[in-house]
């Protein structure tokens, strides 16, 4: 008895072409308009292949728009075997073999000369049409007959040979009739616009012929590859190209040339400020064919103040050919382009200070972002950068002329608290609460030796305020004792000083660390068990906040004479609450409750003692 031997059957994947086209149209390609880009790409690659085989052969692409659309090229063409191999096999490109080597006609041209390499380009036509006709004659095999291939979106195709007289010259013509729901994409005006959009920088001429026979050449050499009589003429040509392409007049132009990456182009400096989070979309061409006009990954994040247009031969596209493939080459190009932009900035300091001043006025945030990590740029540009200070919005170069010691706050709220008082006291304070500012100000001594930069804290400001006469402070001792007891519950000390402006009754000196510690303490007291223990272990020793009462203010002087404890408590809370509001920081629940309590207390006292003099008021005279 013989046992049946195990047999293994081999099968071939079956492809549902309709499903694949639906996948392309809804998930791979962003719009049906890419069909024309794929046709132009195939035409360019066909001409490139023929040029490698027959140098000097005709090189032209003609697009005819009307009820049907045809794209004709003078490229290398196809034989019957080529049609079966390339048009009827999804994913098999005539530009490569399975191992990536050059395929088709045994050409010796570099693989990098071709644009397409994925073997799915012609399928994009099924996004707008149900039938595609390809008529082709091979230049590689002159004895081979011309062929006509008809493909349908349901997966069928037919092939027939044509007499030599039907196609007298080598080349290929692709014809398609759009479906009714996609006719807009093949209209003459739309086709001309798409051909110019995608193929405007192609190295071979592309002509669009309308239904009336009118023709338009849509290709032209980019301005960075055109010879100009003078540098001024070149700059004007680059500026005009920016206006046509991006619709703005640039503040400056930065020519980009990376021979190792086969990249050339221009970076245009935006004339208006933009948000750092609004990353610019750069326009990238691959061997002349537009790849994408939304490529933020081309430049570093900090370079959000420029928009680029480049043509490259080395960057890889994704399968959809609508984005750049993130790899080591792209990372190296990104760094190199960032260096070009940085070199332009540093060069302005010596070549055009007026333009640098205009640039910094518009894009100072971008420069600050870059200067944090670039020592050379920091040295050159830091003195030019504007900062919010007690002297107004000035550059650090102007600020250090009058302030050898620079105090910097950790937050915008801290700056707003102390700015009026510090300015009157002659202190030089910089608002370090904005992005990058505090880090940059602390590096100022590297650029300006002899300058001292320290963080601002409550003790620093208090030390610069005038002390009160001991006799006056002794008279106020009773009120101050009540105020310290009352406000001390909020982890805040109370001191009495003389300072300007007189109109400010009180100043609250606080810092972020102290506020964080109070928030932690509140949460720990409200929590229980493990959570309270965790919060307790995070306790930090921080200096308490300080409520500085202005002895020069008439309201405060009147309040210091209060002897009734209840009114003294309410008045102290009211002064603390007003100082809280002037600090412009969010109030905690306990602080909001204090404000309400102080207001109600003063109102109640006023109603119950209508003849009494309130804080800051004149005693009522009896008639």
């Amino acid at each position: 008895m013989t046992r049946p031997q195990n047999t293994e059957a081999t099968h071939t994947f079956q492809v549902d072409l309709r499903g694949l086209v639906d996948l392309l149209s809804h998930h791979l390609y962003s719009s049906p308009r890419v069909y024309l880009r794929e046709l132009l790409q195939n035409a360019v690659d066909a001409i490139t292949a023929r040029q490698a085989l027959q140098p000097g052969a005709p090189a032209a692409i003609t697009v005819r728009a009307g009820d049907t659309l045809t794209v004709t090229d003078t490229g290398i063409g196809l034989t019957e075997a080529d049609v079966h191999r390339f048009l009827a096999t999804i994913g098999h490109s005539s530009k490569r073999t399975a191992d990536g080597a050059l395929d088709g006609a045994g050409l010796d041209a570099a693989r990098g000369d071709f644009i397409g390499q994925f073997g799915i380009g012609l399928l994009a036509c099924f996004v707008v049409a149900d039938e595609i006709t390809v008529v082709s004659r091979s230049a590689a095999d002159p004895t081979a007959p011309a062929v006509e291939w008809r493909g349908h979106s349901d997966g069928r195709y037919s092939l027939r040979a044509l007499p030599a007289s039907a196609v007298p010259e080598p080349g290929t013509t692709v014809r398609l009739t759009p479906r009714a729901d996609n006719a807009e994409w093949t209209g003459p005006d739309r086709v001309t616009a798409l051909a110019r959009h995608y193929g405007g920088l192609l190295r071979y001429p592309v002509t669009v012929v309308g239904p009336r026979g009118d023709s338009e050449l849509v290709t032209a050499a980019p301005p960075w590859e055109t010879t100009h009589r003078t540098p001024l003429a070149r700059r004007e040509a680059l500026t005009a190209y920016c206006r046509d392409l991006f619709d703005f007049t640039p503040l400056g132009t930065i020519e980009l040339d990376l021979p190792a990456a086969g990249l050339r182009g221009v970076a245009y400096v935006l004339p208006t400020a933009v948000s750092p989070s609004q990353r610019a979309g750069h326009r990238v061409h691959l061997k002349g064919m537009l790849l994408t006009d939304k490529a933020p990954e081309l430049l570093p994040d900090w370079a959000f103040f420029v928009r680029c247009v480049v043509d490259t031969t080395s960057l890889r596209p994704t399968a959809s050919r609508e984005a750049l493939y993130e790899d080591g080459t792209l990372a190296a190009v990104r760094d190199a382009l960032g260096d070009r932009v940085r070199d332009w900035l540093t060069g302005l300091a010596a070549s055009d200070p007026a333009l640098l001043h205009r640039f910094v006025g518009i894009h100072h945030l971008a420069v600050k972002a870059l200067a944090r990590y670039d020592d050379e740029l920091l040295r050159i540009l830091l003195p030019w950068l504007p900062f919010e200070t007690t002297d107004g919005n000035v550059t650090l170069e102007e600020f250090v002329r009058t302030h050898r010691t620079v105090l910097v706050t950790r937050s915008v709220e801290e700056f707003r608290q102390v700015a009026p008082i510090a300015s009157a006291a002659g202190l030089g304070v910089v608002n370090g609460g904005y992005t990058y500012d505090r880090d940059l100000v602390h590096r100022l001594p590297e650029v300006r030796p002899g300058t001292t930069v320290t963080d601002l804290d409550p003790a620093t400001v208090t030390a610069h305020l005038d002390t009160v006469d001991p006799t006056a402070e002794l008279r106020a001792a009773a009120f101050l004792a009540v105020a310290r007891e009352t406000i001390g519950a909020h982890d805040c000390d109370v001191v009495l000083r003389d300072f300007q402006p007189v109109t400010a009754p009180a100043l609250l000196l606080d810092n972020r660390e102290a506020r964080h510690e109070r928030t932690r303490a509140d949460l720990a007291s409200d929590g229980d068990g493990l959570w309270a223990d965790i919060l307790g272990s995070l306790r930090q020793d921080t200096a308490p906040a300080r409520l500085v009462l202005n002895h020069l203010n008439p309201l405060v002087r009147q309040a210091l004479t209060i002897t009734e404890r209840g009114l003294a408590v309410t008045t102290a809370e009211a002064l603390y609450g007003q100082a809280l509001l002037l600090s412009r920081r969010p109030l905690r629940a306990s602080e909001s409750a204090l404000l309400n309590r102080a207001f109600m207390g003063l109102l109640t006292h006023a109603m119950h003692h209508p003849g009494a003099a309130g804080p800051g008021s004149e005693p009522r005279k009896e008639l």
Side-chain angles (χ1 to χ4, degrees), residues 26-143:
H26 290 96
H27 300 284
L28 186 63
Y29 296 130
S30 62
S31 167
R33 66 178 183 170
V34 298
Y35 83 92
L36 188 59
R37 181 197 66 193
E38 298 295 337
L39 290 176
L40 291 176
Q41 169 187 299
N42 289 343
V44 169
D45 286 341
I47 294 175
T48 299
R50 186 176 180 185
Q51 292 281 322
L53 186 69
Q54 301 173 355
I61 302 170
T62 303
V63 182
R64 297 183 182 275
D67 294 336
T68 61
L69 181 132
T70 63
V71 176
T72 301
D73 65 70
T74 58
I76 196 166
L78 299 169
T79 64
E80 181 176 348
D82 293 335
V83 169
H84 286 295
R85 186 166 36 156
F86 301 133
L87 298 189
T89 305
I90 296 171
H92 193 137
S93 171
S94 62
K95 274 73 76 175
R96 60 170 171 80
T97 61
D99 61 359
L102 188 68
D103 194 14
L107 301 177
D108 294 324
R111 177 188 172 200
D113 290 340
F114 297 106
I115 301 176
Q117 296 172 2
F118 293 101
I120 58 174
L122 196 63
L123 291 182
C125 296
F126 285 124
V127 174
V128 297
D130 287 327
E131 181 179 290
I132 303 171
T133 301
V134 177
V135 176
S136 185
R137 182 174 179 179
S138 174
D141 185 0
T143 63

Side-chain angles (χ1 to χ4, degrees), residues 376-442:
E376 179 65 17
L377 198 66
L378 179 79
R379 183 185 65 81
I380 295 174
L381 296 183
L382 183 58
W384 294 76
L385 297 176
F387 290 82
E388 184 179 3
T389 73
T390 47
D391 291 351
N393 284 316
V394 297
T395 65
L396 290 183
E397 182 73 20
E398 299 173 80
F399 193 66
V400 297
R401 291 173 187 168
T402 54
H403 303 285
R404 301 302 295 176
T405 298
V406 178
L407 303 174
V408 57
T409 64
R410 292 179 175 85
S411 67
V412 175
E413 293 83 2
E414 292 173 15
F415 178 79
R416 289 171 177 170
Q417 289 176 48
V418 304
I421 312 304
S423 180
L427 296 177
V429 182
V430 178
N431 186 352
Y434 295 118
T435 305
Y436 314 127
D437 283 14
R438 181 168 171 265
D439 291 343
L440 290 173
V441 174
H442 271 286

